[in-house]
Amino acid sequence: MSYIDSGTGPALVFIHGWPMQKETFLPITRILQKDFRCICFDLIDIGESRPSTAPTPLSFLARSPMGFGGCFANKDLIHGEFFSLTTKPLIENPEKLAGCLRFLKSMDWNECERLSQVHTQINAKVHCIWGEADPFFPVSEAREMFQKFANPGEFVTIKNAKLLPYAEYPKESAAFIHRFMQP
């Protein structure tokens, strides 16, 4: 399994969603690694973890509202570092893309429906940072889901952020994480 381990202090583990990869978290871990050990890993068959060889085109992902285009309120963020860390590797490396697609195809959507039951079994304190403009999982639904955790901490939102508030607003997200980690 491929991972990045940087910084020292209390550990923070960053788990990406589909079709992201561990580098998605670099903007926020660069800030947090001064005070925390930041561990980011690639899920199996995504990014650098067990790539395959099947080629598939992916240029549509950059601006599609169902791809990365729906992730940001500020569309300019899709290009630059986010593009080079997330989209470009999928476009240029058919093995990485194929792994992402296999991961998606292997998803058990019934299992996703049961997540609210799983949340009740997580005993650790859970905090959430949510984008107020998230088009995929609206804040109202996120708050309802959050209350099902066995030990809910703080639920905070970032105005104008969409699906990836840590990528759109890494400084604001890092400030919340610092607050969450206070004893």
Side-chain angles (χ1 to χ4, degrees), residues 38 44 96 129 178 180:
C38 299
I44 298 299
K96 286 184 181 182
I129 301 171
H178 274 95
F180 297 161

Side-chain angles (χ1 to χ4, degrees), residues 70-81:
C71 297
F72 296 105
N74 178 353
K75 300 285 190 245
D76 292 336
L77 293 174
I78 297 168
H79 303 289
E81 184 176 49

Side-chain angles (χ1 to χ4, degrees), residues 147-165:
Q147 292 307 314
K148 294 180 181 174
F149 283 102
N151 191 5
E154 282 189 71
F155 183 98
V156 297
T157 60
I158 297 180
K159 187 178 172 95
N160 298 322
K162 284 193 165 188
L163 179 65
L164 306 172

Side-chain angles (χ1 to χ4, degrees), residues 1-5 13-16 20-23 25 38-51 96:
M1 179 170 280
S2 178
Y3 65 94
I4 299 170
D5 187 340
V13 178
F14 296 83
I15 304 170
H16 63 79
M20 307 303 182
Q21 55 195 19
K22 64 186 179 295
E23 288 84 3
F25 296 107
C38 299
I39 304 164
C40 311
F41 61 90
D42 283 332
L43 295 174
I44 298 299
D45 216 8
I46 296 183
E48 301 293 325
S49 292
R50 286 193 358 204
K96 286 184 181 182

Side-chain angles (χ1 to χ4, degrees), residues 31-66:
I31 298 167
L32 293 170
Q33 69 186 4
K34 296 171 193 149
D35 301 307
F36 301 100
R37 178 180 177 200
C38 299
I39 304 164
C40 311
F41 61 90
D42 283 332
L43 295 174
I44 298 299
D45 216 8
I46 296 183
E48 301 293 325
S49 292
R50 286 193 358 204
S52 94
T53 57
T56 311
L58 189 66
S59 57
F60 71 91
L61 256 185
R63 287 237 174 232
S64 164
M66 293 306 291

